[in-house]
Amino acid sequence: ALYNGLYTAGLGKIATQDFARYDTMLSTNNTNWESFGELSIDNMGNHAWTAYPSYILPRYVGGIHPSSGGFETVDIKPVTGGLEWARTSIPTIKGTITTNWNVVSENQFTMEVTIPANVTAKIYVPDNDMDQLVVSESGVSVFENNHFISGVDGLQQAEKQDGYIIFTAGSGTYSFQVTGEPLHTPDIGKEEETGVVIDDDQATYTNEWVYETASNHNDRYGDGFHYIGWVSGEPTASAT
């Protein structure tokens, strides 16, 4: 529930930081343990309780999610916060769906998507915190000046909404490139002076996530963590 909430709220950066808890598992034996304590006879070396990233990462970082039964229609909506790139591939009854995105720089983002035959997709291309956007597909401009430009087979329409350019697309492979001018967050303490809204994804905190491990929380399970020292509000708040 926590990770679902973070990604739904656009707080992918926080989720990415919390995944650091898995470093010990990855470096020890690449399996998911029963808890985040030390590997032992009471902390099984391959357990479903900590395996939720196997669902969370394809669903939110890869962005692949069916919007109707049998993958008749799908949403492709990656949350990129805290990461530079991701490649995802999911086999379905219709065929394999893949996404491959890359934050090239603060003013360039690329994303490749493959949609199988007989599937209709809503492809959410992140604006990567940029303004004055130009979106091209295989070198052909398809979105500019906040308007869809027709001419690429398979792409039917597009609109800009909540940090994404949303394309309706049929089957095929699409190679998107997004360019624009980066939006810069004002310095902490300057929000009221500038009148710029700091949204959820840009909330800033002064310290690390603190995870309560098995040794300092209870005898067996480390099942809680908290944040401290927020500067510009709670992670679900906006400040002006």
Side-chain angles (χ1 to χ4, degrees), residues 118-220:
N118 302 313
V119 176
T120 300
K122 291 274 190 188
I123 302 177
Y124 292 69
V125 180
D127 65 14
N128 199 33
D129 291 329
M130 292 185 291
D131 198 6
Q132 303 177 38
L133 296 172
V134 176
V135 184
S136 61
E137 194 287 315
S138 298
V140 179
S141 183
V142 292
F143 190 85
E144 192 170 351
N145 297 321
N146 288 323
H147 292 288
F148 173 62
I149 303 171
S150 61
V152 171
D153 290 342
L155 294 183
Q156 302 166 20
Q157 62 184 34
E159 62 176 336
K160 190 176 186 300
Q161 181 180 354
D162 298 331
Y164 292 89
I165 303 90
I166 309 168
F167 291 89
T168 301
S171 59
T173 296
Y174 303 94
S175 297
F176 297 100
Q177 181 183 62
V178 185
T179 58
E181 294 298 320
L183 295 172
H184 293 289
T185 305
D187 294 335
I188 298 301
K190 300 294 185 180
E191 298 93 341
E192 184 173 354
E193 177 182 330
T194 61
V196 176
V197 173
I198 295 183
D199 64 25
D200 296 350
D201 189 49
Q202 295 170 320
T204 302
Y205 60 95
T206 59
N207 215 320
E208 299 294 330
W209 285 88
V210 178
Y211 181 72
E212 295 179 345
T213 65
S215 61
N216 65 19
H217 187 68
N218 58 39
D219 291 338
R220 188 171 184 187

Side-chain angles (χ1 to χ4, degrees), residues 25 33-38 43-44 47 49-50 214 220-222:
M25 298 184 198
W33 304 347
E34 185 177 359
S35 76
F36 291 97
E38 294 297 324
N43 190 13
M44 295 170 57
H47 202 287
W49 284 1
T50 60
R220 188 171 184 187
Y221 301 113

Side-chain angles (χ1 to χ4, degrees), residues 2 6 8 11-12 14-15 18 54 58 60 63-64 69 82 86 88 95 100 127 170 189 204 208 211 225 228 234:
L2 170 68
L6 289 174
T8 300
L11 297 171
I14 297 174
D18 187 61
S54 62
Y60 291 106
I64 302 172
T88 307
N100 182 3
D127 65 14
T204 302
E208 299 294 330
Y211 181 72
F225 60 92
I228 56 177
E234 300 296 327

